[in-house]
Amino acid sequence: MAKQKLHDPGNKNSVVNFGAGWVVILYCLLMFFLYVGMCNDGANITAPNVEYLLGLETGTIMNMNSLAGLVGVVFFIIAGQINRKIGARLTSGICCIISGVAYILACNAPSVVLYTVAMCFVYGGIMSAGYVAGGTLVATWFPKKKGVVMGYTTMGHNLASAFYVQLVAILIAPMVTGMADIGQNFKTGIVPIGVGAIVLGILGMLFIRNTPQERGINPDNVSDEVEGDGGWTTGKLLRTKELWLAAITTAFFQICSVGVMSQLVKRNVELGFQQQEAMNVMTILALGGVVGSWLVGVIDDKIGTKKTMVGFGIWYAVALLLNFTAVDQVTVLVYVSLFMIAMGIGGSANFTTSLPASIFGRHGFDKVNSVIFPIQGAVTALCFLVNGTVQLITGGQIRMAYLVFAGVALVNVVLVLLVNEHRYNRDFAAQNK
C-alpha cells in the first residue's frame, strides 16, 4: 500500500499541518525543556544551592558544569553509535532515564567530586537524548520542514527558561523555615524533576517511532524516490570541511545563548533587580522567546539556514553589547537588550539540527549526527568555563562574560559565510534538477 505523506501535498507550506509528527515534536520539546532546566538555566538556582551546601566559592560549580559538559562528549560519541544500532526511540528513552537518575544524585551529592561525576551523566544523558537521538528524529521525520519544526521543539528551551527556576523555587520553598533547612529542602525538592525525566524516557520508548514509515507515512513532502544511507564513514566526515563548519558555527551560537541564560538571573541582580524580580524578568523574557523561537524557525524555512544564522549572529551580538553597557543599574538599553535576548533564546538551538540537516540531508543523518554532535557539545561546554572563569577573576562580575560572548557571535558570522548550505543534500539536489 502506498504511504501517505505527513503533510497534505496541497498544503505543503503549512507550518502547523504535521499530523502524527506532532507526537515527535512534543517529545523533542520536552527533552529540550529538561536539558535547559537541568544543564543550563537551572544553574541559576541549583549552582548557588550546591555551592552553599558544599561550602564552595562562587563560580566553582559553573566550572564543574563546564568540565561535566566536556566529559559528556564521550557519552555523546557512545550514544551516537548506540543510536545507529538501536534507533532514536530507544536511545532517547534510555538517555532520559539515565539523566533523571543522575540529576537526583548530583543535587544530593556530598562532595564536589561526586557532583561533577553525576553531572557528567546528566549532561551526557539529556543532551544525547535531545540532540543526538532527537536530532535524528527531526531530520528523519521532517527533512524539508526541519527549520520550523526545530522552532517548535526548541520552544522547550524557552519554556524551561520561563518556568524551570520558578518550578524549583516552588518545590523547595514550602518547607523552608530557616537557612539550616535549605539543604534538605533543595535535595528533596529536586527529586520530581529527575522522576519526570525518567517517566518521559519510558513514554518515549513506548510511543515514539524511529521513522514516519513505521507509521505508514512518508516524511514531509518527500517521496520514496531518493533513498540510501549517505555513504558516510567517521573518517570521511572528519575530513569534510562542511562538517567542521556546521559543528563549530552551531556550537558558537550555543555558547552565546547558553552562557547568557545560565547566568541571567544573577546578571539581573547585578543590575539592581531583586532576586524575585530577576526571576520574574527571566520568566517574562522566556515566554516572549517562545515567539522568537518559532519565528527563527519560520525564517529558516523561508530564506534558508545560512542567511538566518548570519542575521541571528548580528542580532545577538548587538543585544549583548547593549547589555554590557550597564554596570550596576537598569537602563533603557538594558530593556532593549533583554527583549533582543528573549527573541534569540531558543533560536540558537534551532541551528544545531537545521544546519547539518541542510548540508547533509536526511540520508545517513544518524551517522552524521553521531560525529557532529560530540564536537558541538564539546565547544558549547566552554560557555560554563567562560562564565566561571570571569566570575572568579572579576569577583562575580558577569557583564564581562557578555563582552566575550558578543565577540564570539561576530566571529561566528564570518564563519557561517563560509558554509556551503546544501553541499550533500540529496533531496535538495533532486528537487533542483
Side-chain angles (χ1 to χ4, degrees):
M1 183 177 72
K3 299 182 180 71
Q4 296 177 322
K5 292 189 184 279
L6 186 57
H7 295 159
D8 178 351
N11 195 24
K12 66 180 181 180
N13 293 321
S14 173
V15 295
V16 297
N17 183 25
F18 296 108
W22 277 111
V23 177
V24 175
I25 292 172
L26 179 60
Y27 181 56
C28 291
L29 182 152
L30 292 173
M31 288 193 291
F32 281 144
F33 177 91
L34 289 171
Y35 154 61
V36 170
M38 295 193 292
C39 298
N40 299 340
D41 295 14
N44 282 287
I45 192 168
T46 57
N49 273 282
V50 174
E51 286 168 345
Y52 169 77
L53 287 170
L54 300 180
L56 302 173
E57 184 179 358
T58 299
T60 302
I61 287 301
M62 295 307 294
N63 284 335
M64 294 303 102
N65 286 351
S66 182
L67 177 60
L70 290 171
V71 174
V73 171
V74 177
F75 204 112
F76 306 154
I77 295 172
I78 296 172
Q81 298 308 310
I82 293 174
N83 187 54
R84 298 190 67 213
K85 296 292 185 182
I86 67 175
R89 175 177 68 89
L90 291 177
T91 302
S92 61
I94 292 170
C95 287
C96 281
I97 293 170
I98 290 173
S99 67
V101 173
Y103 193 62
I104 295 172
L105 295 176
C107 293
N108 284 269
S111 71
V112 68
V113 173
L114 292 178
Y115 168 85
T116 306
V117 171
M119 284 304 294
C120 289
F121 285 91
V122 174
Y123 276 83
I126 198 61
M127 290 183 76
S128 293
Y131 286 102
V132 175
T136 299
L137 287 172
V138 170
T140 303
W141 277 77
F142 315 100
K144 290 191 175 182
K145 305 296 291 183
K146 73 316 188 251
V148 70
V149 167
M150 286 301 293
Y152 284 121
T153 62
T154 54
M155 285 180 182
H157 288 234
N158 305 95
L159 294 173
S161 297
F163 298 117
Y164 189 87
V165 173
Q166 303 276 17
L167 174 62
V168 174
I170 291 172
L171 289 172
I172 68 177
M175 299 178 289
V176 174
T177 56
M179 289 298 289
D181 298 316
I182 288 180
Q184 187 56 48
N185 294 339
F186 173 71
K187 292 178 180 179
T188 304
I190 216 73
V191 170
I193 306 295
V195 172
I198 294 170
V199 170
L200 180 64
I202 294 171
L203 292 176
M205 289 189 287
L206 291 175
F207 297 109
I208 296 299
R209 294 296 177 266
N210 293 320
T211 68
Q213 286 88 346
E214 291 180 23
R215 291 201 181 277
I217 53 179
N218 271 342
D220 56 343
N221 299 304
V222 175
S223 69
D224 293 326
E225 295 174 5
V226 182
E227 295 293 343
D229 62 4
W232 292 108
T233 65
T234 299
K236 186 176 179 180
L237 285 167
L238 291 175
R239 293 190 299 271
T240 302
K241 180 186 72 172
E242 278 74 21
L243 179 121
W244 288 98
L245 283 173
I248 292 173
T249 56
T250 53
F252 273 10
F253 280 153
Q254 280 288 79
I255 281 181
C256 298
S257 184
V258 174
V260 169
M261 293 307 297
S262 62
Q263 293 292 281
L264 187 61
V265 171
K266 294 182 70 173
R267 170 59 177 159
N268 288 340
V269 171
E270 185 178 85
L271 288 170
F273 289 100
Q274 296 298 314
Q275 180 73 19
Q276 187 57 51
E277 289 177 337
M279 292 170 60
N280 291 340
V281 168
M282 184 173 181
T283 299
I284 294 170
L285 293 180
L287 288 175
V290 170
V291 177
S293 184
W294 177 82
L295 187 60
V296 168
V298 172
I299 294 172
D300 184 314
D301 276 349
K302 295 296 183 183
I303 68 173
T305 307
K306 180 176 178 177
K307 291 179 181 178
T308 305
M309 289 180 72
V310 170
F312 179 88
I314 296 172
W315 173 278
Y316 218 73
V318 171
L320 298 180
L321 291 173
L322 291 177
N323 197 287
F324 173 78
T325 61
V327 180
D328 56 3
Q329 60 181 337
V330 181
T331 65
V332 173
L333 292 181
V334 168
Y335 285 113
V336 173
S337 74
L338 290 176
F339 167 77
M340 294 180 72
I341 289 171
M343 291 297 100
I345 290 173
S348 64
N350 291 25
F351 306 129
T352 57
T353 294
S354 184
L355 184 60
S358 291
I359 296 172
F360 296 96
R362 64 188 165 114
H363 305 96
F365 188 82
D366 56 349
K367 177 61 180 178
V368 172
N369 210 29
S370 72
V371 176
I372 201 170
F373 187 69
I375 302 172
Q376 289 175 329
V379 177
T380 300
L382 296 176
C383 70
F384 299 106
L385 183 61
V386 173
N387 273 331
T389 301
V390 167
Q391 288 185 58
L392 289 173
I393 292 175
T394 65
Q397 292 187 42
I398 300 170
R399 66 187 286 264
M400 298 306 297
Y402 279 42
L403 186 61
V404 176
F405 295 138
V408 170
L410 291 175
V411 169
N412 206 37
V413 169
V414 177
L415 293 176
V416 170
L417 293 173
L418 302 176
V419 172
N420 186 335
E421 186 173 359
H422 303 291
R423 179 69 176 84
Y424 303 104
N425 192 320
R426 296 184 181 182
D427 287 323
F428 182 84
Q431 182 181 346
N432 291 274
K433 282 183 178 180

